[in-house]
Structure formats: C-alpha cells, structure tokens
Amino acid sequence: MRLRELAGTGLKVSEIGFGVWTVSTTWWGVKEESVGISMLKKAFDLGISFFDTADTYGNGLGETILAKALGDRRDKIVIGTKVGYDFYHHTGRRGQEELPQDFSLPYLEFALNESLRRLQTSWIDLYQLHNPRIEAIQRDDLFEALERFRRQGKIRSYGVALGPAIAPRQADEGKAAIETRRVAAVQIIYNLLEQMLGERLFPVGRPRGSLFLVRVPHASGLLDGTVRPETTFTENDHRYHRVSTDERKRQWQEEGLKKVDRLRFLTEGTGRTLGQAALKFILSEPSVASVLPNLYNDQLLAEFAAASDAPDFTAEDLSRISELYASNFGLAPSASQPTAS
C-alpha cells in the first residue's frame, strides 16, 4: 500500500482509505456490528491506515465501531471524523436526508469531546466540518475555535467535507476553504464519470498545499461492476433516495453503463479490474491524498486495497479519458444526472 502525506501535518495516509459509513449504517447491507469490526481489522491487515468516519454515522456507531476494531492500534492509524449535524437533539430522519446543522461554538466543543470519548482517543488526526455551506466557511470564530482545538492537541488538522451530493455551490465552498482557511484537506465526490468538482478545485488546491479526499470513486456502483443492466434498487438500498424518480434511476443506470463500456480500454490487457482502474484514475491526480471507496464486503475490500499496487495510468490513458469526458463519452447531451453516493 502506497502512502501519501496529508498537507502540513506530517501524517501519511494510505492511498486507499476506509469510509466507515458502510459499516456503521445499514444503507450498504452491513447490519451486524461484528461484520463491520471484522472488515475494519482486515482492512488494517491489508495496509489501509486511513479511516474516515463521522459522529452522525449510525448516531455515534461510526466512531465507537472504529475504537472497538482498532483502538489497540491507535498509533498506527490516521482517523478523520466530522462534525456539524446535530443528531443528539434531532433523531428522526428518512433515509439519508440531512439533519439540522449546528456549527455554534458550544455545540462544536461538545461534539468534539463526545467524538474523542467514542473514539477512545485523546486526539483526532483530521477534524472535518460536515457538508458546511459557505456561511459556515466564512465565519472567523468557527475557524478560530478549530485552531484552538489544534493548539490544545485535541485535533492535529482540520478540513471540510463537501456534500452531501454534488452541487454547483460546492466549488465556491471548496475554493473559500482552501484560499481563506488554508484547510489541510477537502473531501469531494469525484470519479471518471463525475469530474466537475475536481476540475474546479484541484487547480486551486495544488499551489496552496491543500490535499483532497475523494469519495464515491465508483459512481455508486457503475464503475465497480456492482450495477448491471438488470440491477434494481430497493428502498433499503443507499442509492434509492438519491435518484428521485424511476425514470431518472433508469436514465442514470442506462447512460452510466454506456459510458463505462467506453472505458474498457482501461482494463483490457492491463492487469487492472474496472474497480481498480476507477481508483487509479483518481490517484493519478497528485493533490489527492486518499480515495474512499464504498467497502461493504470482503471481496471488494481485497480488490480495492490491491489497487494501490495496480499499474499506473499512462499519459495516453489520461489523454483518452479527457477526450471521452469532454465529449460526454460520445453520447448525446442529457439532463443532469444526480450522484447516488
């Protein structure tokens, strides 16, 4: 497993990270805590050292499960967690709908101490504002508090995780976080089929030393082979509520698979699987520190962890991808398709 340095922190993270959301919610089909603990331990054994979670995942389970699985290896892993959604006072929600946010200073300090308690640690390596809007990023007092937490040793660095799904506003939010707040990391959605945020933000982050964490690298299953023409989505599936109507689900699926078919050159005779090729594309960007694929079974875990050592892309590969993306993969223009993260 190759490592990359997290800007300005001295911390090195594994190129392939583990997004703990898959084993701390039921949206990906992992319903037993023991299964999640086992996967986290296997991930560590496979060389994954960066684990990204949030206080709101499973209403705290995303942090407690990490402590149960790898608490005895705390000095060998890098932990990112998030703050911003008040699940303490707002417990009812449908699917993945957003809870009310709270970035007030009393709440921030309370939530940080609760995260430290659940993680059973005295410090957090990367503390991220969870899907903040521009109003939060513009607040001096909020970032002064983060600096105070860093001086106190409670956090080692801070950043922003932009979301929940891709939205045009996130380019402005990421730009403000990088240029005015000098954050260590910005987390975005980015993949072979959805490059809009990377196109806007990578050029801003590179010269300033801000690095990126990337989630949804497989476009919600289109780029890892788990979505096929016959695939249907039930109400319990994590993608079900992201694509709003049956017609848009069909369009997202059919058009997405046509685009994927035009990327077969990345796997034929290369020694890479489709899922690994999707990860290698993202890792070809030097300002990406770690990629966070959705890991919810041992097969995907083994395949994606091995991607770090798969053959890198050539300049010709990247040029061909760029041409395909610029031409909408040779398909006729269509309505904007939402990301089903």
Side-chain angles (χ1 to χ4, degrees), residues 23-307:
V23 297
S24 57
T25 69
T26 58
W27 302 331
W28 282 264
V30 178
K31 295 179 169 47
E32 296 181 13
E33 185 176 304
S34 60
V35 174
I37 290 173
S38 174
M39 286 189 62
L40 290 165
K41 289 182 176 180
K42 288 177 182 176
F44 178 84
D45 292 340
L46 289 169
I48 292 176
S49 62
F50 177 57
F51 295 85
D52 184 61
T53 189
D55 58 1
T56 191
Y57 296 159
N59 289 349
L61 179 60
E63 293 173 334
T64 59
I65 194 174
L66 189 54
K68 288 180 181 179
L70 297 171
D72 59 341
R73 297 163 183 173
R74 178 65 186 95
D75 60 339
K76 294 181 173 61
I77 64 174
V78 176
I79 295 176
T81 193
K82 308 179 190 75
V83 64
Y85 287 115
D86 182 5
F87 65 95
Y88 298 97
H89 302 102
H90 304 274
T91 58
R93 65 174 163 180
R94 179 177 177 268
Q96 297 183 41
E97 70 179 2
E98 287 191 89
L99 289 172
Q101 290 185 318
D102 190 345
F103 290 109
S104 67
L105 300 193
Y107 179 81
L108 198 69
E109 185 144 20
F110 163 77
L112 172 59
N113 289 329
E114 287 296 294
S115 287
L116 290 168
R117 178 185 61 80
R118 283 190 294 266
L119 287 164
Q120 298 180 30
T121 183
S122 60
W123 81 96
I124 291 165
D125 299 297
L126 175 65
Y127 202 44
Q128 301 160 87
L129 302 183
H130 202 170
N131 302 339
R133 279 31 174 195
I134 192 67
E135 294 79 13
I137 295 171
Q138 291 172 338
R139 280 179 45 198
D140 291 340
D141 63 334
L142 178 53
F143 284 85
E144 287 168 2
L146 292 172
E147 279 292 333
R148 175 165 52 85
F149 297 152
R150 189 179 61 81
R151 291 193 301 270
Q152 292 170 343
K154 291 184 175 182
I155 65 175
R156 297 184 69 176
S157 63
Y158 53 83
V160 296
L162 304 180
I166 294 177
R169 61 174 170 77
Q170 291 165 22
D172 293 332
E173 291 160 359
K175 191 169 183 286
I178 294 167
E179 291 183 338
T180 66
R181 302 305 176 185
R182 301 285 178 168
V183 295
V186 177
Q187 185 175 145
I188 62 172
I189 293 174
Y190 178 72
N191 56 63
L192 279 160
L193 307 183
E194 299 162 309
Q195 300 180 31
M196 54 287 289
L197 283 180
E199 288 178 332
R200 294 284 301 276
L201 293 178
F202 291 153
V204 179
R206 287 186 204 117
R208 293 170 174 81
S210 287
L211 295 187
F212 294 86
L213 306 173
V214 172
R215 67 182 188 278
V216 200
H218 294 110
S220 306
L222 290 170
L223 289 164
D224 63 13
T226 59
V227 171
R228 301 179 178 88
E230 67 275 13
T231 301
T232 58
F233 306 110
T234 66
E235 191 166 355
N236 292 327
D237 190 286
H238 68 278
R239 292 160 290 206
Y240 183 85
H241 298 287
R242 290 288 184 172
V243 186
S244 57
T245 66
D246 289 342
E247 174 59 24
R248 296 196 74 182
K249 289 181 180 70
R250 183 195 62 76
Q251 183 187 56
W252 170 79
Q253 189 170 348
E254 290 185 1
E255 293 192 11
L257 289 174
K258 288 178 183 177
K259 293 176 181 179
V260 171
D261 192 57
R262 288 158 171 76
L263 293 167
R264 295 297 173 186
F265 69 94
L266 296 175
T267 60
E268 293 170 349
T270 66
R272 310 182 200 100
T273 66
L274 176 62
Q276 290 172 340
L279 298 173
K280 294 301 288 190
F281 166 70
I282 295 167
L283 291 170
S284 69
E285 168 55 48
S287 62
V288 170
S290 188
V291 186
L292 303 162
N294 290 333
L295 300 167
Y296 47 87
N297 62 50
D298 289 345
Q299 179 181 349
L300 292 175
L301 175 58
E303 178 186 352
F304 297 162

